Amino acid sequence: MTLKETISKDQPIEKLFWSIALPGFGQILNGKLIKGIVFIFLEFLINIQSNFNKVIILSFLGEIHSAIHQTNYQWLMFYPCLYMFAIWDAYRDAGGGKSPYSFLPFAFSAYSVTVGLIYSSRLTLFGVLLGPIWLPMLFLIPGLVIGFLLQWILNRTRFG
């Protein structure tokens, strides 16, 4: 494999990782400036309205009850879908996600993280309340597993 082939093959993954860093960065790198700016604006809007940065800091400090109290769930509920869609969109626009149903891990991750957020103020694991940052992050795992599994099943049973 030549260097050029390696670089072009890594492009979708690079855009995916930049979108993980901040929704909209991958779109800007893909040359979709308006879309990237819209994603960045929405990320900042939701972040500010939901008190997300404050909640992250409190969660990292182990102050889960304070994090729950500071969270504006009405706004934060939008974040998982925006975040996962921005990642998927940047990845797809860079040439990734060409196989059928490759969107499923992203969609199911958004759904499962949102469900984790819904239950984050009450659900404990082994007696530990994880709150609005750690529990949704844990819920990412089943979303990815279900999404990849469903993608695999649907691709194996496709007709034609």
Side-chain angles (χ1 to χ4, degrees):
M1 186 178 311
T2 68
L3 180 61
K4 186 175 182 177
E5 290 170 333
T6 304
I7 290 171
S8 79
K9 195 175 190 180
D10 291 341
Q11 292 261 333
I13 300 298
E14 177 188 354
K15 307 305 173 37
L16 181 140
F17 277 110
W18 276 112
S19 246
I20 289 171
L22 185 74
F25 278 5
Q27 285 75 12
I28 289 172
L29 288 172
N30 282 330
K32 312 278 180 146
L33 296 179
I34 303 273
K35 193 190 303 186
I37 290 167
V38 168
F39 278 129
I40 291 170
F41 171 78
L42 289 172
E43 198 282 337
F44 275 89
L45 176 67
I46 294 168
N47 188 308
I48 291 166
Q49 293 296 323
S50 66
N51 300 320
F52 197 34
N53 284 349
K54 189 173 212 171
V55 172
I56 291 170
I57 291 167
L58 290 168
S59 295
F60 269 83
L61 293 173
E63 298 176 24
I64 302 302
H65 290 289
S66 294
I68 291 168
H69 180 70
Q70 289 292 320
T71 303
N72 183 332
Y73 286 91
Q74 296 296 320
W75 276 96
L76 195 53
M77 295 268 302
F78 288 107
Y79 199 79
C81 291
L82 171 73
Y83 192 73
M84 286 306 195
F85 181 77
I87 294 168
W88 160 248
D89 182 70
Y91 179 65
R92 187 197 59 212
D93 280 352
K98 292 187 190 266
S99 67
Y101 309 109
S102 58
F103 65 92
L104 287 172
F106 298 90
F108 275 88
S109 294
Y111 175 74
S112 66
V113 170
T114 302
V115 170
L117 182 60
I118 290 168
Y119 288 101
S120 66
S121 65
R122 297 183 183 156
L123 183 65
T124 61
L125 292 176
F126 307 107
V128 177
L129 182 64
L130 297 173
I133 299 300
W134 305 116
L135 189 67
M137 287 172 71
L138 282 177
F139 271 55
L140 176 67
I141 297 165
L144 284 171
V145 170
I146 292 167
F148 279 117
L149 184 62
L150 190 55
Q151 178 187 5
W152 181 78
I153 290 168
L154 289 172
N155 281 328
R156 301 256 319 168
T157 60
R158 283 188 48 198
F159 298 101

